[in-house]
Amino acid sequence: MYSFEPNEEQQMLIDAMGKYAVNDLRPAAHDAEESRELPKKLIGKGWELGLLQASTPEAYGGFGDRSAVTGALAIEEMAFGDLAGALAVMTPSLFATPILLAGTEAQKQEYLPKIVGGNWSPYTAALIEFNFDFDPNALKTSAKLSDGTYVLNGEKAFVPFAKDAEAIIVYADLDGVTQGFIVPKNSAGLTISAEREKLMGLNALPMYRVKLEDVRLPAENRLGGEAGHDFELILASMRVASASAAVGVAKASFEYAKQYAKERDAFGVKIAQKQAIAFMLAEMITEIESMRLMVWEAAWKLDNGKDDSAIAAYLANTGAADMAMMVTDRGVQILGGHGYIREHPVEMFLRNGRGFAMLVGLAIV
Amino acid sequence: MSIEFENPKPIVQMQTMLQSVAENMMRPASREFDECEHSIPWDYVEFMHTAMKAVGGGGGLAPVDDRTNVSTDVKRPPIGYQKLAAQIEMLAWGDVGFYLITPGGGLGAAAVQAAGSPEQKAKFLARFNEDKPTYAAMCMTEAGAGSDTSAIRTRAVLDESTKEWIINGEKIFVTGGDKSFTEYEKLGKGFIVVWASIDPTAGRSGMRAFVVESGTKGVSIVKLEHKLGIRASDTAVISLVDARVPYDNVLGSPTVETNTKGFKGAMATFDATRPLVAASGIGVARAALEFLKEKLKENGVEIRYGLPRNKLTSVERDVIDMDIQLRSAWLMVLKAVWMADNKKPNALESSMSKVRAGDIVTRITQKAVEIMGPLGYSREFLLEKWFRDAKITDIYEGTGQINRLVVARQILGYTGAELR
């Protein structure tokens, strides 16, 4: 059966997330971006809404099962408010969800209860590398098995909250396959950059370079233990998350531009009454809606273990990234000169929108 | 309810069956009926009529019939429109020109269904279940009135002495007009639905639809158009000179009221059919994309899904974009028809699906021809035909521009006067 209606539980979550996005994240977004600082209370409030807690089974301290569809719905709502804030709230999922999906029983028992049972705390993951041809399936950071321990070498970039992180899942190449490794803080050979990353957007989200020099890890720190894990599933979950965030940011830009166009006078009418503007808006909402459905389908395929879920996630992510670029660019264009001024949020949406093509691994459903 | 993307079993079964029709009956004859414009593929017409009657779906592919069948089924969520969209997509994948001449009431019957009384529905729609394949067509467009249907100049005047309507005017772009009006031995008696004004001073509220039976005196097929594509489907110019039509053949109220119900009836028809037109275009685009992928594979070109964009070749990027466009457009169609099945107002989603499909099917077929080079341009393959066939998607039943206007008015909350 096809159905395009969230269930009751999902609708409640969407409503709660939507409120938080509009009442909390959005009003804080401008100052957070300018001051490069997200208020702790703001993150805490988003954490209390319990997306990760509701995705973690009771046995590990949560109260529900993980659903990529639910995750995608929630991320879109939060990203509509503010992308940096949304990513900050969900950073612990970067560590917890892969463990939930692929971890050994011991890994689950060790980490999940303390992450979901407590306040928001910085557990994170490191996937991106600072190369133009960065490819999650062909990482330059390497892991080598030697005398029963894994030795990690390489450098990771754009790692959220790395400085304060209790532990980081570092993705590295092991014999040609990407695998995750749990790297506790203060591991010998692990260096977190003193300076934060400075990027085109996402300035409120503290991100760091992470250097690994002969970091030695016991065999049980490999995600999934001795047998390892299927990275494809984790990557697909990251892509769906990124794609749904792209839909949220695009929607934010669209709504803002639409409102502006209905208020701005020119030549005796509102500019939205001009076909040149009205048609742009019509195309924006059409693209947003079509990519939202791509994201939903990919998420549903993940939840239902469909064979082509990885390709669906890749297509959704690729399409949503392009869409976000197109829509956020037009958001600025519709506001004209005002769109270029940082008082209006559309320029920030544009900077954030540009990132989706390369920033996989900053969120996961 | 919950978000789900499982293609229902009855639809999968139907698709499998129609795929075989497409492969065995449509594709092999596709080229012939593209080149011999205005000849009728009787094998297909008669087979489809028999087949549809056999499964109890007489009346063809009109959404109204399918919906009537389904609404009696109270146990499962209705999927009538979804099934119809999937049928149309698959038939158009076979050959969209053939699909367009699938016997049945088409837009003519849809207008009767949308604006007719119960008596009129009984009287005019029963014929599609009879022995011979039967057609009906919609006559809306005029030389001076395309998307701006309020500019229609065809007039209907009531002759009080005989209680007949006298209709004068000329209609163009009548899809299936020939098979609906001309009396063929192998076809049942069809009709055309003619939109005319009963009061030119009343604008849209004066607009009415009239059922004009095949063979009516004063009505003639002036010519059949020669087109870029969809050549198996006849497109007629129909002239009406003092054509007399029974009083009861007017759909809706015979007097002018202050509201614009008559016109809204026509527009309601379009809300229902826009996603279906989108579906037909998507079928053509899928045929082109599948052909392209097959040929690339034959030539050793592999599409490496999953690679970052900057590591892909230009051809790979194009194909991946085409995959995204095709699937996302199809999902928009599915959502629009799912809303129709669940009785949710879907004017916005219908128009969005048409905007999206109109865009992507032209882009996909254009790109596929480009990538295939000389093979794409040659009539040795059907690809160049699909390129020509696809283009109509962005034109008929509301051009992409009109649909953008409809979408924009909806999202901005503007009336036609506020956003012209």
Side-chain angles (χ1 to χ4, degrees):
Chain A
M1 212 47 64
Y2 286 107
S3 170
F4 299 87
E5 218 162 46
N7 65 31
E8 223 172 290
E9 223 171 287
Q10 289 167 335
Q11 194 56 53
M12 273 165 56
L13 186 72
I14 290 172
D15 293 344
M17 290 288 184
K19 253 190 214 154
Y20 168 67
V22 172
N23 299 335
D24 299 285
L25 284 177
R26 181 67 68 81
H30 176 268
D31 289 355
E33 173 75 8
E34 297 286 325
S35 67
R36 295 167 55 81
E37 189 77 52
L38 279 162
K40 274 246 153 60
K41 256 176 90 176
L42 182 72
I43 300 174
K45 193 169 176 185
W47 174 254
E48 293 301 318
L49 294 174
L51 176 60
L52 181 60
Q53 295 88 323
S55 312
T56 307
E58 272 177 50
Y60 308 115
F63 53 86
D65 288 313
R66 177 250 188 189
S67 150
V69 170
T70 306
L73 294 169
I75 291 174
E76 182 192 325
E77 289 297 328
M78 281 200 285
F80 176 81
D82 176 42
L83 182 62
L87 295 178
V89 169
M90 294 184 300
T91 294
S93 300
L94 291 177
F95 187 90
T97 305
I99 286 183
L100 200 57
L101 289 173
T104 61
E105 189 55 33
Q107 288 166 347
K108 290 179 189 177
Q109 292 292 358
E110 182 176 354
Y111 290 104
L112 296 180
K114 67 179 166 200
I115 295 175
V116 300
N119 294 329
W120 181 95
S121 54
Y123 286 85
T124 188
L127 176 64
I128 298 171
E129 297 175 345
F130 203 64
N131 311 303
F132 93 93
D133 59 350
F134 159 67
D135 178 352
N137 282 308
L139 296 175
K140 297 205 164 64
T141 299
S142 68
K144 295 215 161 48
L145 187 59
S146 133
D147 298 333
T149 61
Y150 288 103
V151 185
L152 270 61
N153 277 290
E155 192 178 26
K156 290 292 178 179
F158 303 179
V159 185
F161 294 100
K163 189 167 144 269
D164 307 312
E166 296 295 324
I168 306 173
I169 290 182
V170 172
Y171 293 95
D173 182 277
L174 178 69
D175 303 326
V177 181
T178 297
Q179 292 286 288
F181 296 88
I182 298 169
V183 181
K185 69 175 174 187
N186 303 328
S187 294
L190 176 74
T191 320
I192 315 288
S193 64
E195 285 277 305
R196 272 168 62 176
E197 298 272 11
K198 288 179 181 161
L199 311 181
M200 174 158 65
L202 294 177
N203 285 302
L205 186 70
M207 292 192 268
Y208 300 86
R209 286 301 155 84
V210 171
K211 205 178 253 177
L212 301 116
E213 291 164 304
D214 287 330
V215 173
R216 291 184 167 273
L217 299 169
E220 63 260 28
N221 278 33
R222 179 178 175 188
L223 185 60
E226 205 181 326
H229 62 93
D230 176 13
F231 179 61
E232 197 178 54
L233 175 66
I234 291 173
L235 181 59
S237 304
M238 289 170 166
R239 282 176 165 154
V240 166
S242 173
S244 52
V247 173
V249 170
K251 181 127 186 287
S253 184
F254 163 76
E255 290 290 350
Y256 196 91
K258 184 181 89 174
Q259 214 44 50
Y260 180 88
K262 287 186 77 171
E263 285 161 18
R264 169 79 187 187
D265 291 294
F267 306 104
V269 293
K270 304 297 177 191
I271 60 168
Q273 290 177 271
K274 299 279 185 193
Q275 285 191 356
I277 302 294
F279 280 20
M280 281 211 274
L281 288 165
E283 285 165 7
M284 288 157 80
I285 190 66
T286 303
E287 290 268 337
I288 291 170
E289 179 68 14
S290 70
M291 286 309 144
R292 172 186 289 127
L293 296 178
M294 287 289 279
V295 175
W296 286 8
E297 184 179 46
W300 178 85
K301 283 185 173 181
L302 272 177
D303 284 342
N304 289 275
K306 298 287 176 188
D307 290 342
D308 60 345
S309 52
I311 288 186
Y314 172 72
L315 294 180
N317 191 27
T318 305
D322 279 356
M323 176 278 292
M325 188 68 254
M326 175 274 215
V327 170
T328 56
D329 176 72
R330 286 178 171 203
V332 169
Q333 190 68 25
I334 288 172
L335 269 76
H338 295 280
Y340 207 73
I341 309 286
R342 296 217 299 278
E343 254 171 61
H344 291 283
V346 285
E347 63 79 30
M348 183 178 75
F349 297 149
L350 175 61
R351 289 184 284 119
N352 289 344
R354 178 62 284 183
F356 291 109
M358 54 292 283
L359 297 184
V360 72
L362 296 185
I364 188 166
V365 288
Chain B
M1 282 290 178
S2 181
I3 291 169
E4 276 180 61
F5 288 88
E6 191 81 62
N7 199 8
K9 272 219 180 79
I11 294 186
V12 176
Q13 285 163 358
M14 179 272 302
Q15 283 171 321
T16 310
M17 190 193 82
L18 285 184
Q19 184 174 339
S20 136
V21 174
E23 281 168 348
N24 298 311
M25 191 160 268
M26 301 171 93
R27 289 282 180 90
S30 229
R31 178 58 71 188
E32 180 191 342
F33 288 91
D34 179 62
E35 307 219 324
C36 307
E37 199 166 9
H38 302 151
S39 53
I40 299 171
W42 289 110
D43 287 352
Y44 171 77
V45 168
E46 284 171 346
F47 172 83
M48 282 305 282
H49 183 66
T50 314
M52 286 187 303
K53 268 184 64 127
V55 297
L61 294 170
V64 288
D65 302 306
D66 208 273
R67 188 161 187 170
T68 316
N69 291 344
V70 164
S71 61
T72 57
D73 184 350
V74 288
K75 282 174 201 145
R76 284 191 302 259
I79 56 167
Y81 266 102
Q82 293 166 61
K83 197 169 170 191
L84 189 57
Q87 270 173 2
I88 291 171
E89 195 271 350
M90 187 59 86
L91 289 174
W93 177 84
D95 186 293
V96 68
F98 280 37
Y99 148 66
L100 287 166
I101 58 160
T102 304
L107 283 178
V112 173
Q113 188 73 27
S117 66
E119 296 75 32
Q120 286 172 325
K121 287 179 198 174
K123 181 178 172 195
F124 296 123
L125 300 179
R127 67 187 73 193
F128 301 109
N129 291 308
E130 310 269 312
D131 286 346
K132 289 180 179 178
T134 305
Y135 293 87
M138 174 99 107
C139 308
M140 173 85 89
T141 304
E142 298 177 4
S147 293
D148 181 8
T149 45
S150 64
I152 284 172
R153 295 184 59 181
T154 297
R155 286 274 282 131
V157 178
L158 185 62
D159 180 345
E160 293 287 355
S161 61
T162 62
K163 281 282 170 195
E164 284 173 321
W165 297 98
I166 303 171
I167 306 180
N168 279 286
E170 188 169 273
K171 293 290 180 180
I172 65 168
F173 298 170
V174 182
T175 299
D178 181 47
K179 289 177 203 60
S180 302
F181 189 79
T182 306
E183 292 171 281
Y184 284 94
E185 209 190 304
K186 291 180 178 175
L187 299 180
K189 189 180 170 66
F191 63 80
I192 55 177
V193 171
V194 177
W195 287 83
S197 175
I198 54 173
D199 180 0
T201 63
R204 284 177 174 169
S205 45
M207 218 67 82
R208 289 295 179 280
F210 297 85
V211 176
V212 179
E213 292 281 0
S214 127
T216 299
K217 263 176 102 181
V219 183
S220 56
I221 306 280
V222 177
K223 72 164 175 176
L224 299 180
E225 304 285 1
H226 296 87
K227 303 190 297 294
L228 174 67
I230 53 165
R231 291 180 183 166
S233 161
D234 64 281
T235 304
V237 176
I238 297 183
S239 117
L240 301 102
V241 180
D242 291 335
R244 287 180 170 265
V245 170
Y247 181 77
D248 291 338
N249 283 23
V250 61
L251 302 176
S253 160
T255 54
V256 177
E257 294 143 14
T258 44
N259 63 29
T260 55
K261 240 185 188 165
F263 187 74
K264 278 187 179 151
M267 291 302 116
T269 312
F270 288 131
D271 282 350
T273 54
R274 272 175 182 151
L276 302 176
V277 174
S280 72
I282 287 169
V284 180
R286 181 164 67 87
L289 181 53
E290 285 175 3
F291 175 82
L292 172 66
K293 285 181 172 177
E294 210 177 283
K295 283 283 159 203
L296 287 173
K297 204 173 171 187
E298 269 175 41
N299 287 278
V301 179
E302 189 200 344
I303 310 299
R304 295 167 297 167
Y305 292 95
L307 276 191
R309 297 279 265 179
N310 57 8
K311 280 190 174 174
L312 295 168
T313 64
S314 162
V315 168
E316 284 174 317
R317 286 186 68 146
D318 283 342
V319 171
I320 285 168
D321 281 342
M322 290 154 91
D323 276 322
I324 293 167
Q325 289 164 11
L326 188 69
R327 188 64 194 170
S328 62
W330 179 239
L331 291 176
M332 293 198 88
V333 168
L334 280 181
K335 185 174 179 189
V337 290
W338 170 83
M339 292 177 83
D341 278 332
N342 289 281
K343 311 249 183 336
K344 295 172 192 285
N346 71 345
L348 173 63
E349 285 74 12
S350 282
S351 281
M352 285 201 299
S353 74
K354 176 84 163 50
V355 167
R356 181 84 178 140
D359 271 352
I360 66 102
V361 303
T362 46
R363 254 189 280 157
I364 287 172
T365 52
Q366 286 168 5
K367 207 53 169 174
V369 167
E370 177 197 298
I371 295 172
M372 277 292 99
L375 279 65
Y377 205 70
S378 166
R379 281 200 266 165
E380 196 172 315
F381 299 107
L382 290 170
L383 187 55
E384 64 80 30
K385 176 184 178 296
W386 292 328
F387 162 89
R388 292 182 286 109
D389 285 347
K391 181 61 203 167
I392 193 62
T393 315
D394 206 23
I395 297 173
Y396 61 3
E397 290 198 49
T399 60
Q401 288 63 43
I402 280 298
N403 277 297
R404 278 168 175 73
L405 203 52
V406 175
V407 171
R409 283 178 189 153
Q410 297 252 352
I411 57 171
L412 291 162
Y414 283 157
T415 61
E418 287 167 324
L419 178 60
R420 288 171 189 278

